């Protein structure tokens, strides 16, 4: 299960926590935990969970992790890295650069709680129902749900949103490809029919649908021009959420204001959330400039992604006198793969032996010591940091699943536990390079005049495409190791717009990419690794994988009947991805690092799956703020 709104929030600007809403007054629901295990006619449920576990009953008052009496007020100033020229989420990833705040003004049918793994509570929808075979789902919209112009949210809006997102967004087209029919069946009811039964995730991922106002997008702007939902725009769109765009300076800043008459403010699960009167986003080209702005108190917090910066750059007076505090928040809500992506659309990368040689050339241990102050660990799974990561040799249900594709996967899947090469000292590095040379020789490569050439005598050359200085540093560290193998490697750094355009058209040899994995993977795996997305511009299958065995294993993940089956299928998928050496795994850290001016507070403890909770779980603390020299 992907977190689609989270994918829209880029650059570390905010913690992507969508407000989770609960029971609406008068909804004819039963406790969803009971409904999930029942049989017979479908019943209305106040919440949906992938495998039936629902913490909060239909009459809950507020989530446990909020302060129900949190004061409202104040301004939260935050940092976004990059630039923007678009507020239209429909074409995000395809056209222009989306302003991350634009993802906060619209709402979804359902929204997740942050202290449960896979449970969604009603947001725009007050309840949902589906049959035991998961062949369809119906959502009932809340009577009180309103757009910021006062008009009601309607089934027509929901149908329009799905159609537009599927038509113009490769991500949504892949994610909702199984929804074959959407229809209004009542004044407030929308039914989604799926292409086949048994896909238990589909009702919940439909609940993640971002709903857009049909009347707005089919209308005209202030100049009388008809709006075009397939184009970028800097006209602040109409939304339904607790915040709306107040003002902006193109490419530089966006201000959101809290909607004082927000329709959902009194719902139980809204209590304690969205406490700031204004959210300000300042855009910076790179992290170093952003850090200087933070030090000068031009922003209230900064998410620090650089281990070097975290270790060396926060020795300034405000830290010493505790007006600025450094905090690390555990990442429990997702796994992660980050690595050098070897573009399979390039002929030279079609041979797995060449790809594996690149992994032997990567000396993570030395990089960790030189660049990262020893803070990181090497990634060894596409689901690193979760129970979904494979380990050892396959056994039990995982082995049974892998047997179904035995003739289509590398034999090592069954005989050898996957591990990355280990460097860190001259002897280990030499041994790894010897192994890499052996693999290259087996693949038909040889060294002539200190250059690696293929069987036809063509030199092996690669360009590592990056978009920022941290990526450049990592590429530059990797470059000498590749050159020791005779590979001519270059590093090319381009601006954000050019980088995005080249990614969309898959015009690269090697990039650094990241895939964040939820604790319940599902249909999004098709976009990440599925054959049907390999040639789809803008898809997350940046590797270009077209592998029948992986397609089969993705289906095993999607159609898992219980948690144990999901874990087994995901581990099998993970193992096959690893043994194909599609990426050179890099590194990870199990915490989000933040430095904050100490003028805010939050309830204790923060929810397990909420990371920092910034800014939605925090509030302005006037007493603290006065000590830092800021009063509003």
């Amino acid at each position: 299960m992907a977190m689609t709104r989270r994918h829209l929030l880029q650059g570390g600007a905010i913690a992507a926590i969508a407000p989770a809403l609960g029971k609406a007054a008068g909804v004819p629901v039963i406790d969803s935990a009971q409904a999930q295990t029942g049989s017979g006619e479908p019943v209305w449920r106040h919440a949906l969970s992938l495998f039936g576990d629902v913490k909060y009953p239909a009459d809950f008052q507020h989530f446990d992790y909020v302060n129900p009496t949190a004061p409202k007020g104040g301004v939260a100033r935050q940092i976004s890295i990059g630039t923007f020229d678009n507020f239209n989420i429909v074409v995000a990833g395809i056209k222009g650069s989306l302003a991350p705040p634009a993802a906060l003004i619209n709402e979804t049918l359902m929204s997740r709680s942050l202290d449960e793994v896979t449970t969604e509570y009603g947001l725009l929808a007050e309840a949902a129902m589906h049959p035991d075979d998961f062949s369809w789902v119906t959502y009932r919209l809340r009577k009180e749900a309103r757009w910021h112009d006062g008009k009601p949210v309607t089934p027509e809006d929901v149908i329009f949103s799905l159609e537009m997102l599927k038509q113009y967004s490769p991500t949504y087209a892949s994610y909702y490809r199984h929804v074959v029919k959407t229809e209004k069946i009542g004044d407030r009811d929308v039914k989604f029919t799926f292409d086949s039964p048994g896909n238990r995730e589909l009702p919940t991922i439909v609940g993640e649908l971002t709903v857009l106002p049909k009347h707005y997008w089919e209308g005209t702007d202030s100049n009388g021009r008809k709006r075009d939902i397939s184009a970028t725009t800097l006209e602040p769109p109409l939304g339904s959420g607790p915040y709306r765009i107040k003002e902006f300076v193109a490419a530089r800043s966006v201000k959101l204001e809290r909607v004082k008459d927000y329709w959902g403010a009194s719902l139980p699960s809204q209590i304690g959330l969205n406490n700031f009167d204004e959210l300000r986003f300042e855009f910076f080209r790179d992290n170093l400039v952003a850090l200087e702005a933070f030090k000068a108190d031009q922003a209230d917090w900064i998410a620090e992604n650089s281990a070097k910066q975290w270790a060396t750059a926060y020795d300034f007076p405000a830290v010493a006198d505790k007006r600025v505090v450094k905090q690390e928040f555990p990442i429990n809500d997702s796994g992660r793969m980050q690595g050098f992506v070897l573009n399979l659309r390039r002929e030279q990368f079609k041979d797995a032996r060449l790809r594996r040689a690149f992994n032997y050339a990567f000396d993570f241990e030395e990089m960790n010591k030189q660049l990262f102050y020893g803070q990181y660990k090497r990634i060894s799974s596409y689901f690193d940091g979760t129970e979904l990561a494979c380990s050892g040799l396959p056994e039990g249900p995982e082995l049974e699943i892998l047997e179904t594709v035995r003739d289509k996967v590398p034999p090592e899947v069954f005989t050898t536990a996957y591990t990355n090469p280990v460097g860190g000292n001259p002897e280990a590095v030499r041994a790894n390079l010897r192994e890499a040379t052996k693999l290259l020789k087996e693949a038909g490569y040889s060294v002539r005049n200190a250059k690696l050439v293929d069987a036809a005598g063509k030199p092996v050359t690669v360009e590592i495409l990056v978009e920022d200085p941290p990526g450049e540093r990592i590429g530059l560290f990797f470059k000498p190791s590749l050159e020791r193998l005779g590979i001519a490697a270059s590093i090319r750094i381009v601006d954000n717009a050019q980088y995005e355009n080249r990614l969309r058209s898959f015009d690269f040899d090697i990039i650094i990419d990241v895939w964040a994995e939820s604790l319940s993977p599902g249909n999004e795996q098709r976009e990440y690794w599925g054959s049907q997305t390999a040639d789809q511009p803008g898809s997350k299958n940046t590797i270009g994988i077209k592998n029948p065995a992986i397609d089969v294993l993705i289906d095993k993940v999607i159609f898992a009947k219980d948690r144990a089956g999901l874990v087994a299928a995901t581990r099998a998928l993970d193992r096959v991805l690893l043994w194909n050496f599609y990426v050179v795994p890099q590194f990870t850290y199990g915490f989000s690092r933040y430095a904050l001016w100490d003028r805010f507070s939050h309830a204790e403890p923060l929810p397990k799956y909420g990371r920092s909770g910034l800014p939605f779980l925090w509030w302005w603390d006037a007493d603290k703020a006065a000590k830092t020299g800021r009063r509003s």
Side-chain angles (χ1 to χ4, degrees), residues 393-524:
L393 293 176
E395 58 184 20
E398 182 192 352
L399 179 58
E400 293 174 9
I401 291 169
L402 288 168
E403 288 289 356
T404 66
V405 293
R406 178 181 278 273
D407 62 334
K408 298 182 180 69
V409 302
E412 294 90 344
V413 164
F414 297 93
T415 62
T416 310
Y418 178 87
T419 58
N420 288 307
V422 176
N425 61 71
E427 293 79 11
V429 169
R430 284 195 294 269
N432 288 338
L433 291 176
R434 282 196 298 269
E435 188 63 31
T437 301
K438 177 183 175 184
L439 287 165
L440 292 169
K441 185 177 180 180
E442 291 175 359
Y445 294 90
S446 59
V447 176
R448 299 179 190 172
N449 299 320
K451 295 181 179 180
L452 186 71
V453 298
D454 63 17
K458 180 182 178 181
V460 178
T461 63
V462 297
E463 177 187 86
I464 302 176
L465 182 70
V466 299
E467 63 175 333
D468 53 30
E472 185 180 28
R473 290 173 65 220
I474 295 168
L476 286 171
F477 185 92
F478 195 23
K479 182 176 185 287
S481 296
L482 296 175
E483 290 173 339
R484 289 181 68 179
L485 294 175
I487 298 169
S490 62
I491 314 299
R492 182 174 178 82
I493 184 167
V494 297
D495 62 33
N496 180 262
Q498 186 178 354
Y499 186 83
E500 289 298 322
N501 287 331
R502 290 188 62 175
L503 250 63
R504 289 167 190 161
S505 59
F506 307 122
D507 180 20
F508 60 87
D509 296 332
I510 300 174
I511 58 168
I512 298 170
D513 207 351
V514 180
W515 293 268
E517 294 283 5
S518 79
L519 301 179
S520 294
N523 290 268
E524 77 285 349

Side-chain angles (χ1 to χ4, degrees), residues 163-272:
E163 290 175 349
M164 294 300 99
L165 288 164
K166 288 183 70 174
Q167 181 175 346
Y168 295 113
S169 168
T171 296
Y172 282 98
S174 174
Y175 202 48
Y176 293 118
R177 64 191 293 263
H178 296 291
V179 181
V180 295
K181 186 178 182 181
T182 310
E183 56 188 323
K184 177 180 178 180
I185 60 171
D187 289 344
R188 293 183 288 123
D189 296 349
V190 186
K191 182 178 181 180
F192 302 83
T193 302
F194 309 133
D195 56 2
S196 63
N199 190 334
R200 67 173 53 244
E201 189 187 39
L202 289 177
T204 53
I205 69 169
V206 167
E208 296 174 358
L209 177 68
T210 299
V211 180
L212 307 169
K214 181 180 180 181
H215 70 280
Y216 171 86
W217 284 105
E218 291 186 343
T220 56
D221 63 19
S222 58
N223 295 317
R225 293 188 296 263
K226 192 176 187 311
R227 296 187 178 97
D228 181 2
I229 200 168
S230 68
T232 61
T233 181
L234 282 176
E235 179 187 14
L238 180 68
S240 63
Y243 288 95
R244 62 185 162 209
I245 296 174
K246 178 182 180 181
E247 59 186 66
F248 69 95
V249 178
R252 296 181 58 185
S253 65
V254 180
K255 294 181 182 179
L256 301 183
E257 63 179 350
R258 187 160 57 85
V259 178
K260 298 299 169 61
D261 60 348
Y262 169 51
W263 69 270
S266 62
L267 291 169
S269 58
Q270 277 292 73
I271 294 173

